[in-house]
Amino acid sequence: MKAIGLTGGIGSGKSTVARMLRQMGYPVYIADKEASRLMNTHPEIRKELQQRFGATTYTAQGTVDKPKMAQLVFNDTQALADINRIVHPRVMEDFRQWSLQQNSMLVFFESAILFEAGLDRFFHSVICVSAPESLRISRVVERDRTTSDKVEARLRNQSDEASKCQKADFVILNDHNHLILEQLLEILQQLQSTESHKQ
């Protein structure tokens, strides 16, 4: 079994690629969704987050207070680093356990911050989904019913997509000139070949 990372900036279309992989029958672990689940259910994560940020990190219903957490990490790189230090190892352990239950030659891990969090070292190969910035902004404005100014602010808080794709083993161009499926099938063919892409 090969574990493959899937990443890309906001609005790049990595969720579209993840959905296509699932439709083809490949298991895909959505890191953001699973991290939220673990923050609500994992006793050690709860304990460490409350020790670091206080009991009010969780609501009276026992779930993470997301607005409060967002406020904590806004412009506070140390707070964000502390949350990642607490959550990411548990996410990777959860992914490892999940992978063992899958019956597939390839399993995929979708995360927007794969390289930023230093998680790329856990994967055989990494696929980066890329799209022109103007297209990414218009997609997110439509998807989130927000303004282009707010999307641009979010983009500034993410690492440069070009640098992500330079580090990746494969790049999928998600613009109006390239077919995603064609590119994805070619990558899957290479990943499934007997020769390892990355030793």
Side-chain angles (χ1 to χ4, degrees):
M1 181 188 285
K2 294 176 185 175
I4 311 300
L6 175 64
T7 193
I10 182 174
S12 64
K14 66 186 177 305
S15 298
T16 301
V17 174
R19 190 164 57 250
M20 291 171 82
L21 285 165
R22 276 185 163 156
Q23 287 169 349
M24 291 179 197
Y26 292 101
V28 183
Y29 184 99
I30 309 298
D32 195 40
K33 186 181 94 175
E34 301 303 335
S36 293
R37 174 181 60 81
L38 290 169
M39 287 170 80
N40 286 328
T41 60
H42 197 295
E44 289 301 312
I45 291 179
R46 179 186 298 264
K47 180 180 158 192
E48 289 180 35
L49 285 175
Q50 287 182 324
Q51 282 176 345
R52 169 64 176 84
F53 298 106
T56 56
T57 310
Y58 285 79
T59 66
Q61 289 74 38
T63 57
V64 171
D65 188 333
K66 285 193 170 180
K68 174 156 189 173
M69 293 297 277
Q71 198 174 13
L72 284 168
V73 301
F74 189 71
N75 290 334
D76 188 342
T77 53
Q78 187 55 55
L80 181 59
D82 288 342
I83 291 171
N84 290 343
R85 175 182 52 77
I86 292 165
V87 177
H88 286 159
R90 272 73 179 224
V91 169
M92 294 315 298
E93 176 56 25
D94 190 67
F95 171 70
R96 193 180 72 80
Q97 295 293 341
W98 172 88
S99 297
L100 295 173
Q101 297 165 26
Q102 308 307 314
N103 184 25
S104 175
M105 184 182 162
L106 302 173
V107 294
F108 293 85
F109 180 98
E110 189 252 278
S111 171
I113 56 168
L114 194 81
F115 288 114
E116 296 90 325
L119 303 179
D120 53 299
R121 69 185 188 278
F122 294 106
F123 299 98
H124 177 273
S125 301
V126 175
I127 300 168
C128 179
V129 185
S130 176
E133 188 170 294
S134 58
L135 192 54
R136 291 166 63 199
I137 291 168
S138 64
R139 281 175 186 156
V140 180
V141 165
E142 189 177 339
R143 184 191 72 195
D144 295 355
R145 300 185 184 282
T146 185
T147 66
S148 56
D149 287 345
K150 286 182 180 175
V151 178
E152 284 172 23
R154 285 164 71 184
L155 284 175
R156 283 195 295 273
N157 283 334
Q158 290 194 347
S159 69
D160 178 45
E161 190 178 86
S163 66
K164 286 187 201 217
C165 288
Q166 281 173 358
K167 294 174 190 171
D169 301 282
F170 302 99
V171 176
I172 290 176
L173 295 172
N174 182 17
D175 52 21
H176 294 309
N177 304 315
H178 300 80
L179 291 173
I180 295 179
L181 183 59
E182 201 174 274
Q183 297 174 80
L184 185 56
L185 289 172
E186 190 177 322
I187 291 168
L188 290 170
Q189 193 173 11
Q190 290 187 58
L191 289 171
Q192 288 168 334
S193 68
T194 49
E195 290 183 13
S196 289
H197 182 73
K198 186 196 282 184
Q199 299 297 326

XYZ file of all heavy atoms in Angstrom, residues 1 93-103 107:
117
model
N 0.839 -1.208 0.000
C 0.000 0.000 0.000
C 0.868 1.250 0.000
O 1.853 1.321 0.727
C -0.891 0.014 1.252
C -1.815 1.199 1.346
S -2.670 1.320 2.928
C -3.879 0.016 2.733
N -1.740 9.470 13.429
C -1.962 8.141 14.014
C -3.339 7.615 13.593
O -3.489 6.426 13.266
C -1.865 8.217 15.539
C -2.182 6.920 16.268
C -1.329 5.730 15.841
O -0.198 5.927 15.338
O -1.803 4.598 15.986
N -4.339 8.494 13.573
C -5.680 8.107 13.142
C -5.654 7.683 11.671
O -6.294 6.698 11.283
C -6.641 9.287 13.348
C -8.098 8.904 13.143
O -8.628 8.115 13.955
O -8.707 9.375 12.168
N -4.900 8.436 10.861
C -4.762 8.086 9.437
C -4.092 6.724 9.277
O -4.507 5.919 8.440
C -3.954 9.166 8.705
C -3.582 8.804 7.295
C -4.552 8.747 6.305
C -2.260 8.520 6.956
C -4.215 8.403 4.992
C -1.921 8.178 5.654
C -2.901 8.120 4.675
N -3.071 6.466 10.076
C -2.370 5.179 9.998
C -3.320 4.024 10.315
O -3.357 3.023 9.599
C -1.178 5.170 10.963
C -0.207 4.025 10.758
C 0.928 4.090 11.753
N 0.486 3.738 13.091
C 0.319 2.477 13.512
N 0.562 1.458 12.714
N -0.081 2.240 14.742
N -4.101 4.183 11.389
C -5.066 3.149 11.770
C -6.140 2.977 10.687
O -6.535 1.854 10.358
C -5.739 3.514 13.106
C -4.787 3.554 14.300
C -4.232 2.176 14.653
O -4.776 1.154 14.272
N -3.132 2.158 15.386
N -6.598 4.090 10.150
C -7.604 4.070 9.072
C -7.051 3.351 7.838
O -7.754 2.545 7.218
C -7.999 5.516 8.754
C -8.877 5.724 7.561
C -10.250 5.693 7.529
C -8.460 6.031 6.219
N -10.703 5.952 6.250
C -9.627 6.159 5.427
C -7.203 6.203 5.615
C -9.572 6.457 4.074
C -7.152 6.488 4.272
C -8.324 6.615 3.510
N -5.787 3.644 7.488
C -5.157 3.045 6.308
C -5.114 1.522 6.404
O -5.314 0.824 5.406
C -3.722 3.570 6.125
O -3.723 4.955 5.899
N -4.868 1.018 7.614
C -4.777 -0.431 7.822
C -6.110 -1.131 7.544
O -6.134 -2.333 7.265
C -4.321 -0.737 9.259
C -2.902 -0.288 9.626
C -2.641 -0.494 11.108
C -1.862 -1.023 8.784
N -7.182 -0.373 7.622
C -8.515 -0.953 7.403
C -8.947 -0.880 5.933
O -10.009 -1.395 5.574
C -9.559 -0.224 8.266
C -9.326 -0.374 9.756
C -10.142 0.633 10.561
O -11.189 1.090 10.120
N -9.655 0.983 11.737
N -8.130 -0.238 5.098
C -8.501 -0.072 3.689
C -7.944 -1.213 2.842
O -6.855 -1.719 3.106
C -7.978 1.269 3.148
C -8.357 2.479 3.977
C -9.849 2.580 4.251
O -10.677 2.408 3.362
N -10.202 2.867 5.499
N -8.713 -1.585 1.839
C -8.286 -2.648 0.927
C -8.004 -2.030 -0.442
O -8.788 -2.164 -1.378
C -9.382 -3.724 0.838
C -8.955 -4.896 -0.023
O -7.770 -5.151 -0.169
N -9.923 -5.574 -0.612
N -3.882 4.789 -0.941
C -4.786 5.541 -0.065
C -4.341 7.004 -0.101
O -3.152 7.297 -0.231
C -4.796 5.011 1.395
C -5.369 3.610 1.459
C -3.406 5.059 2.017
